Amino acid sequence: MFSMVLGSYVKAQDSTKKSPLVITGSVDAYYRYNFHNAKDSGITNNYTSFTNSHNSFELGMASVRADYTTGKVTGTLDLGFGRRAEEFSYNEKATGLGTAIKQAYISVAATDKLKFTMGKWATHIGYEVVDAYMNRNYSMSYMFSFGPFFHTGLKAEYTAGKFGFMLGVANPTDNVTASFSKKMALAQASYTSEGGSLKAFLNYQGGKDLAENTVNQVDLVVNGTLSDKFSIGYNGTVQSVKPNGKSSGDSWWGSAIYLNADPSKTFGLTLRGEYFDDKNAVSGFSSAAGLGTSVIAATLSGNIHIENLTIIPEFRLDSSKDPIFTKNPNEGVKSTGTFILAATWHF
């Protein structure tokens, strides 16, 4: 009898042990309709990431992530398939290293406060992330689309009470491989208030890109929880670029606010207002738009929650200083409206 009881006790203990392997994943899909309905199939009136389509149902990304921990070491492999993964790892098409690897890194906990990570990981800069289910808006901001996506290198993270610090060195932004002479410095300082109602992150990247241009970017993210029904987020960033061989350069900058309301557990609303300024034609936006300009974008997204499924009906209005959008059939206009119906699911 004692052995039977002891055996049951051991089994109960074993059932509460945390598995060293954690598997998570997500799927997202969407339909996008631009109200100017340009007949030219090559015109979608879209200059941000992942939603460059019109009047079409699209797969965003199917993603699976595995984290395996043994002792103080954790290995992470994060794979993605679809438009989001391909655009996230856009430089890897040319290298042949594969766009499916969103993240792949090894972390070592030297102490309970200090951790080292080496490999490829999503950037610490900005408010939004590549995984759709983790954003309340489905379409992306201009700052996300023309800022860094990921880094490949080595970083150290240190936590001291309410404060956190990160220092790192990486290849030029969004590159898995690069020559030894071209590297970027990474940094972050963070603060979390008692209870977590206020979180702030000051982020930095700086160094040489593959063309030997000098790049420096400073970024601020703030999240504040006002109550269980209302929260607010802010993201501001500025990036300067000095071309190789020149004594001075120019910069682009942006600022966005996120107003979140959750009247119930099954329904929420997020209003994102963003101003993006690239009048000096510094970022990749100027190449896509054909000139340097500024844009104001307002996005209202509903979040309908059914367990791990979120349905996102979204209305977006983009207004530019210059006529960078197209009205049917080929008239340039300064503003355009878009509707998106998206669904995200995760486990």
Side-chain angles (χ1 to χ4, degrees), residues 53-341:
S53 63
H54 167 65
N55 196 22
S56 174
F57 291 95
E58 299 281 341
L59 170 67
M61 181 170 65
S63 181
V64 62
R65 170 172 170 161
D67 297 272
Y68 193 92
T69 302
T70 55
K72 297 183 177 182
V73 181
T74 298
T76 296
L77 178 61
D78 186 4
L79 303 178
F81 305 89
R83 179 189 297 275
R84 297 179 81 95
E86 291 177 358
E87 292 188 23
F88 182 75
S89 298
Y90 61 97
N91 277 332
E92 294 178 42
K93 291 181 179 180
T95 64
L97 295 175
T99 60
I101 302 176
K102 289 157 50 192
Q103 301 185 102
Y105 56 82
I106 300 169
S107 296
V108 179
T111 70
D112 59 348
K113 295 182 178 181
L114 179 63
K115 180 175 70 173
F116 294 94
T117 299
M118 188 173 187
K120 173 187 176 181
W121 63 86
T123 186
H124 57 295
I125 292 174
Y127 186 92
E128 300 170 10
V129 296
V130 63
D131 296 283
Y133 79 93
M134 299 178 70
N135 299 319
R136 293 178 62 108
N137 301 110
Y138 187 79
S139 66
M140 308 304 291
S141 68
Y142 287 89
M143 284 185 289
F144 173 91
S145 301
F146 298 100
F149 283 176
F150 66 85
H151 308 284
T152 305
L154 173 67
K155 63 178 178 177
E157 298 168 274
Y158 183 80
T159 303
K162 299 178 182 179
F163 297 91
F165 303 93
M166 183 273 286
L167 290 174
V169 60
N171 293 339
T173 301
D174 299 345
N175 283 279
V176 171
T177 181
S179 66
F180 182 80
S181 61
K182 302 175 180 68
K183 292 292 175 284
M184 301 284 285
L186 310 175
Q188 181 184 75
S190 63
Y191 169 80
T192 302
S193 67
E194 191 73 31
S197 61
L198 177 65
K199 297 180 180 180
F201 306 84
L202 182 61
N203 308 306
Y204 171 78
Q205 68 162 351
K208 299 278 190 179
D209 64 15
L210 290 180
E212 297 285 357
N213 302 316
T214 301
V215 178
N216 285 284
Q217 183 171 0
V218 178
D219 178 88
L220 175 66
V221 174
V222 180
N223 286 299
T225 301
L226 306 180
S227 70
D228 60 347
K229 297 183 183 299
F230 298 99
S231 62
I232 186 170
Y234 173 78
N235 183 205
T237 197
V238 57
Q239 184 182 105
S240 64
V241 179
K242 185 175 73 173
N244 182 28
K246 294 189 177 181
S247 59
S248 63
D250 287 309
S251 62
W252 65 264
W253 66 277
S255 187
I257 191 167
Y258 300 77
L259 302 176
N260 309 309
D262 296 285
S264 71
K265 292 182 178 179
T266 58
F267 180 71
L269 282 171
T270 291
L271 175 63
R272 176 182 63 203
E274 179 187 19
Y275 179 77
F276 180 79
D277 191 311
D278 189 25
K279 295 174 185 174
N280 296 320
V282 176
S283 74
F285 170 76
S286 60
S287 298
L291 75 165
T293 190
S294 61
V295 180
I296 296 175
T299 306
L300 180 63
S301 306
N303 283 201
I304 303 168
H305 303 290
I306 306 172
E307 296 182 347
N308 285 4
L309 169 68
T310 301
I311 300 171
I312 308 173
E314 178 175 291
F315 292 92
R316 175 171 178 149
L317 178 64
D318 293 71
S319 181
S320 173
K321 179 178 177 292
D322 300 282
I324 62 173
F325 304 106
T326 301
K327 183 178 180 180
N328 223 8
N330 56 10
E331 176 188 352
V333 292
K334 293 184 178 181
S335 63
T336 193
T338 301
F339 171 74
I340 288 178
L341 179 63

